[in-house]
Amino acid sequence: IASADGEGGMSAEAIKARIARLIEAEEPKAILSDDTLVDLLAKDGCDIARRTVAKYREAMGIGSSVQRRRAKAIAG
């Protein structure tokens, strides 16, 4: 995946790991949407589309923000 500045880039695996870390660190009351994940990755210099974030998240078996919010509410 190309970097935002047009130089270098990040591997898909590095981006997946970053997405997983961001989701693991999210607060139960502030679940990150795919759009928010795109914004956070952009701050790290990764230019990636929302649908790519969704595809990577689903490939890792991580639910959508709605699913995660419900699961965390049930878990208490």
Side-chain angles (χ1 to χ4, degrees):
I1 306 292
S3 64
D5 61 8
E7 295 185 16
M10 300 175 82
S11 73
E13 292 304 317
I15 293 170
K16 287 179 183 180
R18 180 74 177 128
I19 291 169
R21 283 194 306 272
L22 288 168
I23 291 174
E24 287 173 11
E26 69 188 359
E27 296 291 325
K29 301 231 181 209
I31 302 297
L32 303 172
S33 68
D34 291 342
D35 286 322
T36 304
L37 290 169
V38 168
D39 293 340
L40 292 171
L41 290 168
K43 289 179 184 177
D44 289 343
C46 178
D47 185 24
I48 189 168
R50 185 209 50 82
R51 63 180 173 251
T52 305
V53 169
K55 180 176 81 171
Y56 288 174
R57 178 183 46 71
E58 290 171 4
M60 293 185 291
I62 300 171
S64 68
S65 59
V66 173
Q67 292 168 329
R68 296 192 315 272
R69 185 175 295 115
R70 286 182 185 151
K72 290 186 180 191
I74 291 169

